Amino acid sequence: MEGHAFGEAFAGMTVYSILFGLSRIVHLTFVILALVLMFRPAANPYYRTAA
C-alpha cells in the first residue's frame, strides 16, 4: 500500500519478462475479440448449423 515511483515497477525487467508480458496482452486482446465476434448477428447462422 506504499506509493512507489512508477519507474520502480519496471526496474527489474528483462527481455524475457517483456516478451512474456507482451504475449499476455496479445492473448487477452484476442480473447476479448473472439468474445465480441461470437455474439455478432452474423455468427448466428454458424451456431445454428453447428447445433
Side-chain angles (χ1 to χ4, degrees):
M1 302 304 279
E2 296 178 17
H4 295 288
F6 187 71
E8 288 181 27
F10 303 105
M13 292 186 77
T14 64
V15 174
Y16 297 114
S17 64
I18 292 170
L19 289 175
F20 182 72
L22 286 175
S23 72
R24 292 187 72 167
I25 291 170
V26 169
H27 177 258
L28 185 61
T29 301
F30 280 112
V31 167
I32 292 170
L33 179 64
L35 284 170
V36 169
L37 292 176
M38 278 194 310
F39 288 101
R40 293 197 62 220
N44 287 339
Y46 173 78
Y47 289 110
R48 283 192 187 112
T49 58

